[in-house]
């Protein structure tokens, strides 16, 4: 008989311990809540007796927020000034690595107002080295062909245009597809580009664009009409 009672007694003791633990947790939570409420009430009474502290805190927070906004506006203003003043001589572009050349084209598009301009060249780029949206809402897809020898380097030919022509609209959803080089372009490529509504930028056009202040779409012929009537501010 005594052997049968022991498990029951142990079960009763475990049940009592669990209840005691739960009660302790409830009491601790109630005590903590009481302390927090007491501290909050004391803080509110103190603030009510010293209202100038609230005024000072609001002024400090407002000043900090204003300073942060001012710094953001100044940074944006100086970035705009830097971008608008960006210039390259075509000889500078000749000496760049082809990756740096792509970044330079991206920066020039940004200078012209394409705030989302990005360099995407590399493996798997599907014929796009730079993509951007101009202030008129047109999507630009640019493939870059850098020639270290410049005009004397290998010319861009029709085969170079095939990938851009095949992916520029279907994959990248471009409105303006551009083959851009610091070298020269073959006459066959000129004919192919005209038939396929591709735009070509050779060394002469690049030199005028990079060293000047006119956006690229003002230097190219027959670009698609704007998607919106006025540029973004």
């Amino acid at each position: 008989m005594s052997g049968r009672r022991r498990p029951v007694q142990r079960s009763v003791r475990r049940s009592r311990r669990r209840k005691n633990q739960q009660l302790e947790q409830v009491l601790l939570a109630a005590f903590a809540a009481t302390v927090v409420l007491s501290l909050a009430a004391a803080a509110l009474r103190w603030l009510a007796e010293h209202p100038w502290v609230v005024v000072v805190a609001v002024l400090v927070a407002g000043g900090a927020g204003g300073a942060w906004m001012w710094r953001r506006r100044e940074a944006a203003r100086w970035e705009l000034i830097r971008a608008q003043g960006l210039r390259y001589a075509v000889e500078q572009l000749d000496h760049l690595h082809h990756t740096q050349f792509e970044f330079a084209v991206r920066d020039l598009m940004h200078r012209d107002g394409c705030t989302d301009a990005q360099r995407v060249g590399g493996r798997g780029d599907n014929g796009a080295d730079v993509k951007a949206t101009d202030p008129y809402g047109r999507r630009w897809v640019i493939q870059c062909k850098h020639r270290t020898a410049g005009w004397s380097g290998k010319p861009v030919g029709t085969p170079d245009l095939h990938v851009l022509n095949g992916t520029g609209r279907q994959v990248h959803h471009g409105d303006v597809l551009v083959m851009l080089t610091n070298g020269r372009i073959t006459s066959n490529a000129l004919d192919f580009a005209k038939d396929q509504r591709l735009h070509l930028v050779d060394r002469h056009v690049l030199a005028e664009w990079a060293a000047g202040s006119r956006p690229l779409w003002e230097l190219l012929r027959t670009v698609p009409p704007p998607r919106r009537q006025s540029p973004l501010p």
Side-chain angles (χ1 to χ4, degrees):
M1 293 295 292
S2 60
R4 295 179 180 176
R5 290 175 183 170
R6 288 175 183 170
V8 175
Q9 291 174 351
R10 285 197 295 268
S11 177
V12 171
R13 286 196 295 269
R14 284 196 297 269
S15 178
R16 286 177 180 173
R17 281 198 299 270
R18 283 196 296 271
K19 289 180 180 179
N20 290 335
Q21 290 173 352
Q22 291 172 354
L23 180 60
E24 290 175 358
Q25 291 173 355
V26 171
L27 291 174
L28 286 173
F31 175 75
T34 301
V35 171
V36 170
L37 290 174
S38 299
L39 292 174
L44 290 173
R45 284 195 301 269
W46 188 85
L47 289 174
E49 295 170 358
H50 305 83
W52 59 270
V53 175
V54 178
V55 175
V56 171
V58 171
L59 291 176
V60 170
W68 179 76
M69 290 295 296
W70 179 83
R71 285 196 297 269
R72 284 197 62 184
R73 286 196 298 267
E74 283 296 292
R77 186 172 72 86
W78 282 111
E79 172 61 21
L80 181 61
I81 292 172
R82 185 202 66 79
Q84 289 177 338
L86 181 64
R87 300 289 187 275
Y88 285 107
V90 71
E91 291 78 14
Q92 289 178 278
L93 299 175
D94 292 342
H95 292 92
L96 296 179
H97 183 270
H98 69 86
T99 299
Q100 295 173 317
F101 181 67
E102 293 165 4
F103 278 114
V105 172
R106 178 207 62 182
D107 292 344
L108 288 168
M109 293 298 290
H110 188 274
R111 179 199 70 184
D112 291 348
C114 304
T115 56
D116 67 342
Q118 58 178 325
R119 182 257 176 186
V120 294
R123 289 187 178 181
D125 60 19
N126 290 319
D129 295 314
V130 176
K131 295 197 289 187
T133 306
D134 69 27
Y136 297 94
R138 294 170 297 208
R139 187 66 173 162
W140 289 67
V141 177
I142 304 175
Q143 189 176 53
C144 301
K145 294 294 182 183
H146 183 261
R147 300 292 187 253
T148 303
W151 189 263
S152 301
K154 179 182 177 182
V156 174
T158 302
D160 296 312
L161 301 178
H162 287 165
V163 175
L164 175 64
N165 188 49
T167 62
R169 296 184 181 91
Q170 294 87 340
V171 175
H172 301 293
H173 310 292
D175 299 306
V176 188
L177 311 185
V178 179
M179 174 63 72
L180 182 148
T181 181
N182 63 322
R184 53 199 172 94
I185 298 171
T186 67
S187 57
N188 289 338
L190 291 172
D191 294 336
F192 180 82
K194 184 177 180 180
D195 291 340
Q196 301 300 318
R197 295 182 293 118
L198 305 177
H199 297 273
L200 303 179
V201 174
D202 64 6
R203 185 177 184 83
H204 298 305
V205 178
L206 177 62
E208 182 178 359
W209 178 45
S213 58
R214 295 174 64 191
L216 186 56
W217 46 89
E218 292 185 3
L219 302 176
L220 299 179
R221 297 180 179 179
T222 64
V223 294
R227 285 183 175 268
R228 44 179 170 256
Q229 294 304 311
S230 58
L232 293 175

